Amino acid sequence: MSDKLQWIEQELQNLHDSGLYNQIRTLSSPQGAWLVVDGKRVLNFCSNNYLGLANHPRLVQAAKDAIDKYGIGPAAVRTIAGTMGLHIQLEQRMAAFKGVEDAISFQSGFNANLAVIPALVGRGDLIVSDELNHASIIDGCRLSRAKIERYAHCDVQDLARALREHRSEYNRCLVVTDGVFSMDGDVAPLDEIYRVTQNYDAILMVDDAHGEGVLGRGGRGIVDHYELHGKVDVEVGTLSKAFGVVGGVVAGNAKIVEWLRQRGRPFLFSSAMTVPDVAACLAAVDLLEESTALVDKLWENTRYFKTEMRKLGFDTGQSTTPITPVMLGEAPLAQEFSRKLFDAGVFAMAIGYPTVPRGKARIRVMISASHAQNDLDQGLEAFARVGRQLGVVS
Ligand SMILES: *Cc1c(COP(=O)(O)O)cnc(C)c1O
């Protein structure tokens, strides 16, 4: 009898052969500028821990205190077992922080997208979506059963064309974009997207996962960055990146948030964030509201690292944010580069297809406020050495 799962072995072998197999490293230290990875102390250039909050003493303490008071788990979905005051508090604080009418939390940013998109559009409706949008947006769009039209990446003319050609054939319409594109680090032209969208009776949604805690005044996000308060209907955010914890948020129009409490499927059918997660996120909001120091340091580090990488001759793509792609082309080269960096004490992952298009493999460096100047210099030195060794720079 043939093995019905033989095909998986074949597919896995194909991944190995094409340099696309995900080799997952094991950490034995907290997140921070330095990590212990597979027993080796290495400089951390790959986490989304933009502000160094993942192991911040204030967040750790807040989580411990909350556990003492409320325990750990929410014990059922909120509509059935009741909602904890802590979750409401986080939602109100997030809404105030972002300057929006209301906010609702989810278990993750991924779930937030799966909740909001199918709640807003369905069969007979239209979604107009940037071609490089995050996988969770794509999955949310597919779940909705609305017609999906993609427009060229960050191309407002093409967005206008899609709306002009297709809008009138459908009932409701949603225009959706990543705020900061996670693999390229470029920022969506949300001001222009808003201007175009306005003329077509469309709901405007931005997924600000990599902008939350990074862009705008004191990390208030992309809507604040462009001063589009009250104009963007839905902002999806994550609490797993700059906020250093885990969870998702939908912030914006109060009607939409209320609708999600009634019809967001991951809200209705999956339990909420745990107590320590929520308490730690509340401490993160406290920190961000008290001072812009961490966000300022993040940008100072970003400017320094990018400038020095370009001086060394590396192609850092279109990024204008702390996400710094180092473009290498073919996946095997990116993997070899990453291995050699690791040997040199720098942990920076290679990223290839399907996360980025074929032939656009890269190392993605994630800059953090937790990096000291000396850390960045050590990283630059390793990049220079490996880059010369592999003939990427001269
Ligand atoms: C990381 C990311 C998500 C997922 O966030 P999680 O909270 O980790 O589930 C969603 N959208 C975008 C654009 C992201 O970069």
Side-chain angles (χ1 to χ4, degrees), residues 1-9:
M1 210 172 77
S2 74
D3 178 357
K4 65 186 174 190
L5 299 181
Q6 173 64 32
W7 64 273
I8 296 181
E9 238 169 81

Side-chain angles (χ1 to χ4, degrees), residues 98-104 116 120 173-176 190 193-194 197-198 200-207 223 228-236 249-258 260:
K98 297 182 73 65
V100 296
E101 292 177 356
D102 204 355
I104 178 171
V116 70
L120 292 178
C173 177
L174 175 72
V175 172
V176 57
L190 196 60
I193 291 173
Y194 166 72
T197 303
Q198 232 188 339
Y200 288 93
D201 186 28
I203 300 169
L204 177 55
M205 165 174 164
V206 63
D207 177 349
V223 169
L228 289 169
H229 300 277
K231 293 175 174 163
V232 176
D233 303 295
V234 191
E235 269 179 87
V236 167
V249 169
V250 176
N253 184 288
K255 282 196 213 71
I256 291 176
V257 171
E258 179 57 14
L260 290 173

Side-chain angles (χ1 to χ4, degrees), residues 108-110 113 134 136 178 182 207 209-210 238 240-241 247:
S108 70
F110 202 110
N113 277 325
H134 189 262
S136 57
D178 270 28
S182 51
D207 177 349
H210 284 277
T238 176
S240 71
K241 288 171 180 151

Side-chain angles (χ1 to χ4, degrees), residues 58-59 62-67 86 274-284:
R58 292 256 306 262
L59 274 73
K64 286 180 180 165
D65 293 346
I67 288 173
L86 219 49
T274 71
V275 165
D277 292 333
V278 178
C281 287
L282 278 164

Side-chain angles (χ1 to χ4, degrees), residues 149-344:
E149 286 290 336
R150 303 197 310 169
Y151 63 91
H153 177 52
C154 284
D155 184 337
V156 180
Q157 252 79 51
D158 199 44
L159 165 64
R161 175 207 53 79
L163 285 165
R164 197 169 52 242
E165 285 177 8
H166 302 287
R167 173 68 186 97
S168 61
E169 300 159 38
Y170 297 90
N171 186 12
R172 290 198 287 270
C173 177
L174 175 72
V175 172
V176 57
T177 181
D178 270 28
V180 177
F181 287 83
S182 51
M183 291 302 136
D184 292 284
D186 51 338
V187 180
L190 196 60
D191 50 348
E192 295 170 48
I193 291 173
Y194 166 72
R195 256 198 305 281
V196 168
T197 303
Q198 232 188 339
N199 303 323
Y200 288 93
D201 186 28
I203 300 169
L204 177 55
M205 165 174 164
V206 63
D207 177 349
D208 201 24
H210 284 277
E212 199 103 69
V214 175
L215 293 177
R217 287 168 306 134
R220 283 168 174 74
I222 189 169
V223 169
D224 189 83
H225 170 80
Y226 282 113
E227 299 192 3
L228 289 169
H229 300 277
K231 293 175 174 163
V232 176
D233 303 295
V234 191
E235 269 179 87
V236 167
T238 176
L239 302 166
S240 71
K241 288 171 180 151
F243 276 70
V245 191
V246 76
V249 169
V250 176
N253 184 288
K255 282 196 213 71
I256 291 176
V257 171
E258 179 57 14
W259 183 234
L260 290 173
R261 289 195 188 101
Q262 304 303 322
R263 283 293 176 271
R265 287 171 69 83
F267 184 83
L268 297 176
F269 297 104
S270 183
S271 294
M273 295 168 69
T274 71
V275 165
D277 292 333
V278 178
C281 287
L282 278 164
V285 182
D286 286 343
L287 277 171
L288 286 168
E289 285 187 340
E290 278 165 26
S291 159
T292 63
L294 287 173
V295 180
D296 296 343
K297 179 78 163 95
L298 168 67
W299 283 97
E300 194 185 302
N301 282 351
T302 297
R303 277 187 290 271
Y304 176 72
F305 186 80
K306 282 197 146 85
T307 308
E308 295 302 313
M309 282 295 278
R310 286 195 200 109
K311 276 193 213 159
L312 288 170
F314 286 104
D315 173 6
T316 56
Q318 305 301 309
S319 173
T320 54
T321 61
I323 298 169
T324 309
V326 182
M327 307 305 286
L328 295 168
E330 296 310 315
L333 173 62
Q335 288 209 332
E336 192 182 0
F337 206 113
S338 173
R339 270 194 303 273
K340 285 189 182 300
L341 282 174
F342 192 78
D343 292 340

